[in-house]
Amino acid sequence: MSTRERTGPRTVLVIGATGRTGRQVVDGLLAAGVAVRALVRHPLTAGLPAEVTMIEGTLQDPGAVRQAATGADSAFLLWIGDDPAEIPPVIDALTSSVRHVVYLSAADLRSGLGAGSAVQPGIHAEVERVLEASPSTWTFLRGGGFAANTLEWAGQIRAGDTVSVVHPGAGRSLVDERDLGEAAVRALRDPSLVGRALSLTGPETLTQEEQIAVLGDVLDRDLTVQERDTDEARAEYATLMGVDLADRALSYWATLIEDPEPVTSGIDEILGRPPRSYQDWARLHRLDFESLTTAEVAHRYAEAFRSGRIADATRMLDPDVVRVAPLEEGGVEREVRGLAAIMENAARQTEDGDMESVEVGDPLVGDDSFAIRFTFGMRAHGTGERFRTVKLSLCAVAAGRIVREEVFYHLNPSMNP
């Protein structure tokens, strides 16, 4: 750990600002009067407050990280990736400017009790090791199971009353992302937490079956738990996180049946109060699990765009949503599948200009679809020319989420109409 003198940060770089915890960090820092910079893949669709200075780039690009870190005093880091070879050059770029890094790590809660449980092996331990050898000071916040991970059940709950899970008896002490965000803001501003590694959990241990019962109580529904085939789950998780990580995760969950995760004192120690309960988290996220009508989806989607709340708008989209836009590739119909691919496509379509305004019409709602009109005000890079692009989206809805969007342009979206 460096002995470099540390003062309260004037500017903080947030890496992972568009995630659930990262957004809590952004909002907490702004509320405390701290200037915030954010490294984001697509500034247009980031949905961050206007006060945030956004630098376009990815965590895996040391040059972008160095640019984002320049001028920042401290940084909040959420590591995304599983290649340990990427860690040293990125940490070097980050710590060339910032004096202190708060890293949202992961706890190995089986290794011990209390606030100082060991780091989860693998990528988290490697990031910690490299940060310890860097010129910056650090604080490691080792989160236990994230309450937000139970959102993976949302699709099943919206579609019916049976929830299929692997190892229903696995006990976890889930932590609320609001508590993680508050703890990170405190660690960024409180010198007494420099050089500390604290494990953060919720206030109680609940089995996955008990967690689903909590969701049923909040939704006023009788939910049934069904044990899922482990091999089937392994195949699905392997496509999302790789075979090794999927195997480790499933093996870990199996151990939690006989040896459930403990509750640690990290949140109490940092924030001076008990952590929020899973029941509190479930009430806050009730909308994510509700099966909304087509009209409710349509109007909430429109209002989110009108208010500039892009993150709320994307919550109305199914993760596997399909988007068809016939005029975006020289008149050739192009189908884009998945939320991440759609966001990347949106960034490509606007890379030659800046969006200055969005007007949203009232949706026209049918039984299982709705139509909505958008008018985008754009300014071209270089020439400064202003122009408007009007599009009509026909959105199909199933289980309370948009599953397909067909886009029809009134004006060609090219920068040279």
Side-chain angles (χ1 to χ4, degrees), residues 29-353:
L29 289 170
L30 291 176
V34 178
V36 177
R37 300 165 66 85
L39 178 69
V40 296
R41 185 184 295 271
H42 303 307
L44 176 66
T45 56
L48 295 175
E51 305 96 304
V52 176
T53 300
M54 289 184 281
I55 295 85
E56 185 171 355
T58 68
L59 178 61
Q60 283 68 37
D61 180 356
V65 172
R66 190 178 300 276
Q67 178 187 356
T70 300
D73 306 295
S74 302
F76 170 79
L77 173 62
L78 174 64
W79 189 270
I80 301 172
D82 56 7
D83 184 357
E86 296 175 340
I87 299 172
V90 169
I91 298 301
D92 179 68
L94 178 64
T95 58
S96 64
S97 293
V98 302
R99 298 196 302 268
H100 184 64
V101 178
V102 173
Y103 171 48
L104 183 58
S105 187
D108 181 0
L109 293 170
R110 297 170 300 176
S111 65
L113 299 177
S117 296
V119 62
Q120 195 174 95
I123 204 74
H124 298 290
E126 183 63 14
V127 172
E128 289 193 10
R129 185 191 68 78
V130 177
L131 279 170
E132 287 175 329
S134 77
S136 293
T137 59
W138 48 264
T139 302
F140 300 148
L141 302 180
R142 296 171 177 165
F146 290 2
N149 288 344
T150 63
L151 288 168
E152 69 174 296
W153 302 329
Q156 295 185 70
I157 293 173
R158 289 195 300 265
D161 293 328
T162 300
V163 186
S164 176
V165 298
V166 181
H167 305 312
R172 309 211 68 179
S173 46
L174 300 177
V175 62
D176 191 307
E177 63 266 21
R178 291 173 295 176
D179 286 341
L180 292 172
E182 286 184 33
V185 171
R186 178 66 59 83
L188 285 161
R189 306 184 70 218
D190 185 351
S192 72
L193 296 174
V194 170
R196 300 287 306 279
L198 301 106
S199 296
L200 312 181
T201 72
E204 61 182 335
T205 300
L206 298 172
T207 67
Q208 294 193 100
E209 189 167 11
E210 289 170 334
Q211 295 162 29
I212 292 168
V214 168
L215 293 172
D217 288 342
V218 169
L219 296 169
D220 195 22
R221 291 171 56 188
D222 186 13
L223 300 177
T224 300
V225 178
Q226 181 180 74
E227 184 157 11
R228 186 178 184 188
D229 179 75
T230 304
D231 291 336
E232 175 188 288
R234 179 178 288 107
E236 177 183 328
Y237 291 143
T239 63
L240 299 173
M241 59 180 71
V243 174
D244 290 344
L245 188 54
D247 283 340
R248 288 202 300 271
L250 290 169
S251 297
Y252 174 66
W253 295 337
T255 69
L256 300 180
I257 298 173
E258 299 296 332
D259 185 19
E261 291 178 346
V263 171
T264 70
S265 59
I267 293 294
D268 299 79
E269 187 170 343
I270 297 176
L271 300 180
R273 61 162 177 79
R276 294 178 172 93
S277 69
Y278 184 67
Q279 289 83 352
D280 287 339
W281 181 92
R283 284 189 286 269
L284 179 69
H285 291 273
R286 175 173 181 153
L287 173 62
D288 291 305
F289 296 93
E290 286 183 332
S291 185
L292 304 176
T293 66
T294 300
E296 288 172 329
V297 172
H299 288 289
R300 292 183 185 188
Y301 190 61
E303 184 55 35
F305 272 106
R306 289 192 187 108
S307 304
R309 295 179 283 108
I310 305 301
D312 287 348
T314 59
R315 288 172 66 190
M316 297 292 98
L317 302 176
D318 185 86
D320 295 321
V321 61
V322 174
R323 184 175 187 272
V324 181
L327 289 181
E328 290 183 352
E329 298 289 342
V332 177
E333 185 173 282
R334 183 169 185 262
E335 184 175 289
V336 180
R337 180 179 296 273
L339 187 55
I342 287 173
M343 292 300 178
E344 291 179 1
N345 180 70
R348 283 196 300 272
Q349 297 305 317
T350 57
E351 63 185 3
D352 293 329

Side-chain angles (χ1 to χ4, degrees), residues 301 305 317 321-329 331-336 342 345-346 349 370-376 389-396 402-414:
Y301 190 61
F305 272 106
L317 302 176
V321 61
V322 174
R323 184 175 187 272
V324 181
L327 289 181
E328 290 183 352
E329 298 289 342
V332 177
E333 185 173 282
R334 183 169 185 262
E335 184 175 289
V336 180
I342 287 173
N345 180 70
Q349 297 305 317
F370 66 92
I372 188 167
R373 174 182 169 134
F374 298 88
T375 304
F376 301 104
T389 295
V390 182
K391 78 167 187 177
L392 247 168
S393 289
L394 178 62
C395 300
I402 297 169
V403 295
R404 183 179 178 87
E405 179 192 26
E406 296 187 50
V407 180
F408 305 91
Y409 285 102
H410 286 201
L411 303 176
N412 192 313
S414 168

